């Protein structure tokens, strides 16, 4: 829900889909009609963890950015080895959290050369 709040005032349109757990995320990702520009994945999700989701789902062209409160270097290394493009630590400050989320969207989901700032 914090990601939704962070993107609420984002200056470009963002169509956000949130999975309540890893099981729902896997169903969404395996649906061929579901087209995504970016996946922001938390490792600490119920039913199927983010790491298990990365192991089960074959990552294609859609960039996956792991956004986690974990500071464990082995989780970062494992996520990247499983195909995540980036591992970003969640800030505890709400404004920094919002800035980081917007930065992830801008870096990975905006067309090249598009810079959105307010």
């Amino acid at each position: 829900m914090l990601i939704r709040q962070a993107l609420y005032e984002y200056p470009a349109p963002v169509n956000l889909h949130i999975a309540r757990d890893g099981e729902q995320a896997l169903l969404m990702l395996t649906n061929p009609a579901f087209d995504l520009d970016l996946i922001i994945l938390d490792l600490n999700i119920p039913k199927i963890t983010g790491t298990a989701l990365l192991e089960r789902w074959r990552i294609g062209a859609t960039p996956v950015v792991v956004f986690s409160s974990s500071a464990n270097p082995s989780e970062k290394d494992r996520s990247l080895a499983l195909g995540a493009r980036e591992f970003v630590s969640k800030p505890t400050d709400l404004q920094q959290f919002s800035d980081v989320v917007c930065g992830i969207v801008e870096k990975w989901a905006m067309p090249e050369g598009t810079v959105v700032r307010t």
Side-chain angles (χ1 to χ4, degrees), residues 29 38-43 50-68 73-89 104 107-108:
L29 294 170
L38 170 66
I39 298 165
I40 299 176
L41 178 65
D42 192 333
L43 295 180
T51 304
L53 186 75
L54 288 170
E55 290 170 347
R56 290 182 181 188
W57 178 65
R58 179 150 317 272
I59 295 176
T62 304
V64 176
V65 175
V66 172
F67 190 48
S68 178
S74 64
E75 284 187 331
K76 177 181 179 178
D77 293 343
R78 181 78 177 135
S79 297
L80 296 173
L82 290 170
R85 301 272 180 94
E86 188 173 14
F87 187 100
V88 178
S89 296
I104 290 169
K107 178 177 181 178
W108 294 104

Side-chain angles (χ1 to χ4, degrees), residues 20-33:
R20 70 180 168 272
D21 55 47
E23 192 173 89
Q24 184 183 31
L26 191 58
L27 286 172
M28 292 166 73
L29 294 170
T30 56
N31 179 348

